[in-house]
Amino acid sequence: MFLEMSIGFPHLGIYLNNLKKSIHIFGIDIAFYGIIIACGMAAGYLVAEWQAKKTNQNTEDYIDFALIAIVLSVIGARLYFVIFNWSYYFNNPIEILDIRGGGLGIYGGVITAVITCFVFTKIKKLNFWLFADTGILGLLTGQIIGRWGNFFNREAFGDYTNGLFAMQLQRAEVSASDVTQKMMDHVKTINGIEYIQVHPTFLYESCWNLLLLIGLILYSKKKKFDGEIISLYLIGYGIGRLWIEGLRTDQLLIWGTSIPISQLVSIIAIATGITIIVYNRKRIRRYK
């Protein structure tokens, strides 16, 4: 083991030493979080463009859409996070603009992207459902990659575990509000440094999304109607996020309650996806 471990996966024999949260270039600190989010966006566009070519769509429409949607989705993701952390940002308004250390609500980005897609396709007179089926594969790709920004930020983790994928983090490098009593009861001291051992929920979600992406790409050749892929995304991502969110210790809660907003949105997403599929399959059977 390295003498000054930053992050470790003890049961996998993986230990990372001196893992920084940013790099220093020309006197400027550039957060790995931002770099990874940017890589996710670029990869997401390439996947959407590839899918558009396969379905004989105009790829230039996706360039135009990406230039708008990426900016608006980042804003939407930030607003989602800020709104459900309002008790903090009310007293620290200047920090609303600082996303270099994290603080993006994925569902906020997804909702904004869908709304932007609806408006964009209406203006351009395109098939919204076909466009959404194509674009959602790009968005999912971005989610797979973007979750690794949480890894570098030491955030979006679950409570204590001693399972196969248990991850050790330096206690001093994580937010004190995310550390539970259960973590403290199992805190480990290695070479004089305290470590908490937790569920790497960012990893769970990234892997879940990867499997979902593969499944959606394979199924896209057999889809029964335009809109089926985004519907399956809503169901698949909603199910994964529903159980993964339950493990996390940094949940965003509905004001004045102990209800995690992401779990509620997940349930709505699942119900919406099922409703769209049931309605369209009944419609198809009716007109056969």
Side-chain angles (χ1 to χ4, degrees):
M1 184 189 300
F2 293 105
L3 294 178
E4 295 183 4
M5 180 182 71
S6 293
I7 299 177
F9 295 85
H11 302 314
L12 298 176
I14 299 172
Y15 301 98
L16 304 174
N17 185 40
N18 295 324
L19 186 65
K20 305 296 183 183
K21 294 185 179 182
S22 63
I23 55 176
H24 198 68
I25 300 177
F26 301 120
I28 301 174
D29 281 329
I30 302 176
F32 281 117
Y33 183 88
I35 294 172
I36 290 172
I37 293 294
C39 289
M41 291 175 178
Y45 168 73
L46 292 175
V47 168
E49 181 187 49
W50 167 67
Q51 190 68 11
K53 288 179 179 177
K54 286 179 60 180
T55 50
N56 299 313
Q57 298 179 68
N58 184 355
T59 57
E60 290 187 4
D61 289 330
Y62 287 87
I63 295 175
D64 295 339
F65 175 71
L67 293 174
I68 300 168
I70 286 174
V71 174
L72 293 181
S73 293
V74 170
I75 294 173
R78 182 58 174 174
L79 287 176
Y80 181 96
F81 184 84
V82 169
I83 287 170
F84 292 102
N85 265 304
W86 186 241
S87 59
Y88 173 81
Y89 287 105
F90 178 79
N91 297 313
N92 302 275
I94 194 64
E95 293 188 29
I96 292 175
L97 302 176
D98 181 18
I99 64 172
R100 298 197 325 147
L104 297 177
I106 298 300
Y107 267 131
V110 173
I111 293 168
T112 303
V114 172
I115 294 172
T116 303
C117 179
F118 180 78
V119 174
F120 180 85
T121 52
K122 285 296 181 184
I123 293 173
K124 300 274 283 188
K125 295 181 171 56
L126 300 170
N127 181 334
F128 165 74
W129 292 108
L130 175 59
F131 205 93
D133 277 353
T134 305
I136 205 66
L137 297 177
L139 187 145
L140 186 54
T141 301
Q143 288 179 275
I144 293 167
I145 297 171
R147 269 300 172 203
W148 285 86
N150 300 133
F151 170 73
F152 284 94
N153 269 8
R154 283 71 155 172
E155 62 186 5
F157 50 79
D159 211 333
Y160 168 80
T161 180
N162 196 37
L164 176 63
F165 297 103
M167 176 176 65
Q168 293 178 342
L169 301 170
Q170 289 189 22
R171 181 188 169 196
E173 290 192 334
V174 304
S175 173
S177 62
D178 295 338
V179 178
T180 67
Q181 185 58 50
K182 189 175 180 181
M183 293 179 199
M184 292 306 301
D185 290 343
H186 296 87
V187 70
K188 298 178 182 295
T189 302
I190 304 173
N191 295 325
I193 300 174
E194 288 189 336
Y195 291 86
I196 55 173
Q197 186 166 296
V198 300
H199 283 284
T201 51
F202 77 90
L203 175 62
Y204 299 165
E205 187 170 327
S206 184
C207 291
W208 178 275
N209 288 346
L210 177 59
L211 293 174
L212 179 60
L213 177 65
I214 293 170
L216 292 180
I217 289 174
L218 293 175
Y219 184 75
S220 64
K221 302 173 185 177
K222 304 176 182 179
K223 72 175 187 176
K224 306 296 188 298
F225 59 89
D226 290 335
E228 189 171 17
I229 299 303
I230 190 173
S231 300
L232 290 171
Y233 163 83
L234 291 173
I235 297 169
Y237 180 69
I239 291 172
R241 187 63 186 270
L242 187 62
W243 73 267
I244 293 170
E245 186 71 18
L247 299 174
R248 289 176 57 168
T249 62
D250 62 342
Q251 298 168 335
L252 298 178
L253 305 177
I254 298 175
W255 311 287
T257 75
S258 59
I259 301 172
I261 181 62
S262 288
Q263 288 189 313
L264 177 60
V265 175
S266 293
I267 293 171
I268 294 172
I270 294 167
T272 300
I274 291 173
T275 300
I276 294 171
I277 289 175
V278 170
Y279 170 79
N280 280 281
R281 292 201 172 180
K282 283 185 177 180
R283 179 178 58 82
I284 292 169
R285 285 197 297 270
R286 191 161 55 241
Y287 289 104
K288 273 188 176 181

